[in-house]
């Protein structure tokens, strides 16, 4: 779900980052619930393609209930996205708060990338982005490069509050704080104070614009997508969610199952598990997967024996005596001060599974008094232009503070840390990876709790592909079997040696996902037999 301090996530293409409050990274009843009032089926008014119409999806304006789709220019993106060339685009206008009486509306950018074939299947795939707070339109390259549009149109819509929506809930002041915080102790009391001040400044700025902060959550977002399906005249479609997008997909499946043919979830964050404690469990799984792969590789095991113990000792030593160094980061010659304490190392490691071949060497260098590699990576992720002004922190806190913290104890992080890493210092255990200061942040965010049903497990018979990575330290691979307990047509696949969001890094995962949409009952997984561990870098 990263993306945290208001930290949050490191910017590798997908993860549940640790954005604002945390994950990103990446964050339900037995039995499907009926759609809430205002999200039920509606009668269309005005022109629009009906299911089976020859008009390409997204080319005709249509109003359905309180929602309206209007064809138009493609949504804005921070950089040009080649995958959007030739896309059919427009805007979905929906109520900001379907339960409110203000009449205020919001606009969500929509881009539809046509299928590569001349005879596309009638049920498109909808891409649900990570975060919370990422914009799906900006992730189009990942989806199209992976072949999702081989036989079907792929639909990208900016989730409410994100970069190409109107209004945006971005709060670059939090990104700026994250950049400065690399020179502070990760879990120092002064860092906590400054972190919460940044969160409150974000909230105050958004509230001053008249934004209903309590309306930015999974329930409203799921209704947005259901409104889009109706407004586009689509009888059924498929979902592919990554990282936090799996959280939203599982809520959508529970609230609006009738329009779903199949669902792929990749880097799984179940709403019923989401919170501080779960991030510790995920970190343990991902770290252990990487350490085990090194131990099974003779050269790595010989040069870096018992890597887990080395990491554990480094966390304890750095928490007792942090290391301060100066580095330069890509794109800048300006020296950057970096403080590495135990908590910073844990958070670095949570993202470093994306560059697994370097991890043993980096830890060994740190143990030998050479912190520059890790410090540069830790700072580089926070100071990168891709980390500035792109994450919708208002949506991040809208999800975390209404759906997570009301349903977990204040000491959930500490207990999760004690269970997963019992030898870590209490000061490290108390701040979950990707989610530092989550409860204090939510104390100042002040949004009402979601209905307790948000924590219910999603159940039913929608065909589901549950994909995980063996090195995923942000949403642990055990979440696949967990969600499959109540999804009786789920296929659980763990791709070994891969980090968070396997679709982004694994050709095998892409083949499995595309074949799943061809035949949800029998995805092709033969490529798993050919996968080998990465060759770890061996230093002097």
């Amino acid at each position: 779900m990263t993306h945290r301090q208001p930290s949050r996530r490191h910017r590798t293409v997908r993860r549940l980052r640790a954005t604002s409050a945390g994950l990103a990274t990446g964050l339900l009843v037995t039995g499907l619930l009926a759609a809430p009032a205002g999200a039920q089926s509606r009668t269309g008014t005005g022109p629009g393609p009906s299911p089976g119409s020859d008009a390409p999806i997204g080319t005709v304006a249509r109003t359905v209930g309180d929602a309206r789709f209007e064809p138009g220019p493609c949504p804005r993106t921070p950089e040009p996205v080649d995958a959007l060339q030739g896309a059919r685009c427009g805007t979905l206008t929906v109520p900001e708060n379907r339960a409110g009486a203000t009449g205020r509306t919001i606009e969500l950018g929509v881009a539809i990338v046509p299928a590569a074939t001349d005879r596309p299947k009638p049920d498109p795939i909808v891409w649900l982005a990570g975060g919370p707070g990422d914009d799906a339109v900006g992730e189009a390259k990942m989806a199209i490069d992976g072949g999702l549009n081989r036989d079907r149109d792929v639909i990208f819509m900016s989730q409410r509050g994100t970069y190409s929506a109107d209004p945006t809930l971005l709060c670059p002041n939090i990104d700026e704080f994250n950049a400065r915080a690399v020179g502070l102790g990760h879990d120092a009391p002064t860092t906590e104070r400054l972190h919460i001040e940044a969160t409150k400044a974000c909230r105050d700025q958004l509230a001053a614009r008249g934004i209903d902060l309590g309306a930015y959550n999974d329930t409203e977002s799921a209704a947005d997508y259901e409104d889009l399906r109706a407004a586009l005249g689509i009888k059924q479609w498929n979902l592919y969610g990554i990282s936090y997008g799996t959280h939203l997909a599982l809520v959508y499946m529970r609230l609006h199952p009738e329009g779903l043919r199949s669902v792929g979830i990749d880097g799984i964050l179940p709403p019923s598990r989401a919170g501080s404690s779960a991030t510790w469990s995920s970190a343990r799984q991902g770290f252990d997967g990487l350490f085990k792969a090194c131990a099974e590789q003779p050269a790595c095991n010989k040069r870096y024996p018992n890597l887990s113990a080395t990491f554990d000792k480094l966390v304890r030593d750095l928490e007792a005596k942090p290391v301060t160094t100066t580095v330069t980061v890509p794109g800048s010659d300006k020296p950057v001060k970096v403080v590495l304490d135990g908590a910073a190392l844990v958070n670095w490691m949570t993202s470093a599974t994306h560059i697994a071949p370097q991890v043993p060497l980096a830890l060994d260098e740190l143990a030998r008094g050479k912190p520059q590699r890790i410090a540069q990576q830790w700072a580089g992720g926070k100071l990168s232009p891709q980390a500035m002004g792109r994450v919708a922190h208002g949506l991040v806190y809208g999800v975390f503070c209404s759906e997570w913290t009301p349903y977990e104890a204040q000491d959930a992080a500490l207990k999760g840390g004690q269970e997963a890493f019992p030898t870590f210092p209490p000061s490290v255990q108390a701040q979950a990876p990707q989610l530092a200061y989550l409860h204090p942040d939510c104390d100042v965010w002040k949004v009402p709790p979601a209905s307790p049903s948000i924590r219910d497990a999603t159940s039913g018979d929608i065909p589901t592909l549950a994909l995980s990575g063996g090195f995923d330290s942000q949403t642990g691979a055990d979440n696949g079997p967990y969600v499959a307990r109540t999804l009786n047509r789920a296929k659980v696949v763990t791709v070994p040696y891969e980090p968070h969001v396997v679709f982004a890094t694994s050709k095998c995962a892409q083949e499995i996902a595309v074949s799943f949409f061809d035949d949800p009952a029998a995805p092709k997984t033969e490529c798993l037999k050919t996968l080998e561990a990465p060759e770890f870098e061996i230093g002097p």
Side-chain angles (χ1 to χ4, degrees), residues 73-75 77 79-89 110-116 137 140-141 144-145 149 154 156:
C74 285
T77 55
E79 297 91 19
V81 178
D82 290 344
L84 296 179
Q85 293 184 6
R88 304 185 295 272
C89 298
V110 178
I112 304 168
V113 175
V137 180
K141 174 178 170 57
I144 303 309
D145 283 356
N149 71 323
V154 181
F156 304 88

Side-chain angles (χ1 to χ4, degrees), residues 230-250:
L232 293 177
I234 298 170
K235 182 178 181 180
Q236 274 197 324
W237 61 13
N238 308 274
L239 305 181
Y240 196 85
I242 63 165
S243 192
Y244 157 74
T246 69
H247 190 286
L248 176 56
L250 288 162

Side-chain angles (χ1 to χ4, degrees), residues 302-385:
K302 181 179 180 180
R303 180 64 185 81
Y304 310 112
N306 206 349
L307 197 60
S308 179
T310 299
F311 174 71
D312 186 277
K313 184 176 187 300
L314 282 168
V315 171
R316 289 183 279 113
D317 289 350
L318 287 173
E319 192 67 5
K321 188 177 180 180
V323 168
T324 300
T325 188
T326 301
V327 300
T328 57
V329 299
S332 174
D333 295 328
K334 184 179 179 180
V336 176
K337 174 189 172 185
V338 179
V339 176
L340 292 178
D341 56 17
L345 184 64
V346 170
N347 280 268
W348 166 81
M349 182 69 177
T350 303
S351 285
T353 49
H354 289 280
I355 50 169
Q358 294 185 41
V359 167
L361 174 59
L363 292 174
D364 181 68
E365 288 178 344
L366 180 61
R368 292 187 290 114
K370 298 170 64 177
Q372 284 73 26
R373 182 192 299 261
I374 288 176
Q376 186 178 55
Q377 292 171 355
W378 176 237
K382 302 296 181 67
L383 276 71
S384 165

Side-chain angles (χ1 to χ4, degrees), residues 418-437:
Q418 290 170 338
E419 182 174 343
F421 295 93
T423 62
F424 281 4
S427 56
V428 175
Q429 295 168 334
Q431 303 299 338
Q434 313 171 77
L435 287 173
Y437 313 119

Side-chain angles (χ1 to χ4, degrees), residues 156-474:
F156 304 88
M157 182 170 75
S158 52
Q159 196 179 340
R160 50 179 50 212
T162 59
Y163 187 88
S164 62
D166 184 14
T168 61
L169 279 63
L170 300 180
C171 289
N173 76 292
I174 286 182
D175 304 318
E176 293 162 1
F177 173 80
N178 289 340
R180 297 196 309 273
V182 300
L184 306 173
H186 187 280
D187 52 13
T190 53
T191 304
E192 178 177 5
R193 176 177 56 80
L194 293 169
H195 184 290
I196 297 167
E197 287 177 0
T199 301
K200 186 175 186 302
C202 170
R203 188 202 189 282
D204 291 347
Q205 176 252 318
L206 296 177
R209 289 164 51 196
I211 292 170
D212 182 354
L213 297 176
Y216 291 79
N217 54 54
D218 281 359
T219 300
E220 291 286 358
S221 290
D224 293 341
Y225 281 97
E226 187 65 2
D227 279 348
L228 178 66
R229 184 180 69 83
L232 293 177
I234 298 170
K235 182 178 181 180
Q236 274 197 324
W237 61 13
N238 308 274
L239 305 181
Y240 196 85
I242 63 165
S243 192
Y244 157 74
T246 69
H247 190 286
L248 176 56
L250 288 162
V251 172
Y252 188 178
M253 292 167 71
R254 186 170 57 82
L255 296 178
H256 307 285
E258 58 278 359
L260 297 177
R261 170 182 176 265
S262 68
V263 177
I265 47 178
D266 177 354
I268 303 164
L269 180 64
S272 53
R273 266 190 172 179
S276 300
S277 181
T279 65
W280 278 120
S281 171
S282 293
R284 176 90 266 179
Q285 293 174 65
F287 298 174
D288 284 351
L290 191 155
F291 296 149
K292 182 174 183 288
C294 174
E296 292 175 347
Q297 197 169 106
C300 189
N301 188 49
K302 181 179 180 180
R303 180 64 185 81
Y304 310 112
N306 206 349
L307 197 60
S308 179
T310 299
F311 174 71
D312 186 277
K313 184 176 187 300
L314 282 168
V315 171
R316 289 183 279 113
D317 289 350
L318 287 173
E319 192 67 5
K321 188 177 180 180
V323 168
T324 300
T325 188
T326 301
V327 300
T328 57
V329 299
S332 174
D333 295 328
K334 184 179 179 180
V336 176
K337 174 189 172 185
V338 179
V339 176
L340 292 178
D341 56 17
L345 184 64
V346 170
N347 280 268
W348 166 81
M349 182 69 177
T350 303
S351 285
T353 49
H354 289 280
I355 50 169
Q358 294 185 41
V359 167
L361 174 59
L363 292 174
D364 181 68
E365 288 178 344
L366 180 61
R368 292 187 290 114
K370 298 170 64 177
Q372 284 73 26
R373 182 192 299 261
I374 288 176
Q376 186 178 55
Q377 292 171 355
W378 176 237
K382 302 296 181 67
L383 276 71
S384 165
Q386 286 74 35
M388 299 293 167
R390 302 190 184 191
V391 176
H393 296 286
L395 176 60
V396 175
Y397 287 119
V399 172
F400 291 169
C401 301
S402 68
E403 302 176 21
W404 293 18
T405 58
Y407 301 106
E408 71 167 17
Q410 287 274 353
D411 62 353
L414 178 62
K415 289 184 176 180
Q418 290 170 338
E419 182 174 343
F421 295 93
T423 62
F424 281 4
S427 56
V428 175
Q429 295 168 334
Q431 303 299 338
Q434 313 171 77
L435 287 173
Y437 313 119
L438 179 57
H439 278 270
D441 278 340
C442 287
D443 288 343
V444 301
W445 198 254
K446 298 184 187 303
V447 290
S451 165
S453 63
I454 200 70
R455 305 291 290 190
D456 292 342
T458 299
S459 62
D461 60 359
I462 298 170
T464 304
L465 175 66
L467 276 170
S468 300
F471 287 177
D472 189 346
S473 54
Q474 293 165 284

Side-chain angles (χ1 to χ4, degrees), residues 76-161:
R76 69 176 189 141
T77 55
E79 297 91 19
V81 178
D82 290 344
L84 296 179
Q85 293 184 6
R88 304 185 295 272
C89 298
T91 302
L92 181 74
T93 301
V94 294
E96 182 181 46
N97 187 337
R98 291 171 174 82
T102 65
R104 180 184 173 112
T105 60
I106 61 175
E107 295 182 353
L108 309 176
V110 178
I112 304 168
V113 175
T117 179
D118 292 334
R119 299 175 64 85
K121 301 291 176 61
D123 47 294
I125 298 170
V126 181
W127 180 271
L128 301 181
D134 285 349
D135 192 328
V137 180
E139 294 181 347
K141 174 178 170 57
M142 189 198 313
I144 303 309
D145 283 356
L148 275 191
N149 71 323
R150 188 190 69 187
D151 301 310
R152 290 174 169 81
D153 293 352
V154 181
I155 300 174
F156 304 88
M157 182 170 75
S158 52
Q159 196 179 340
R160 50 179 50 212

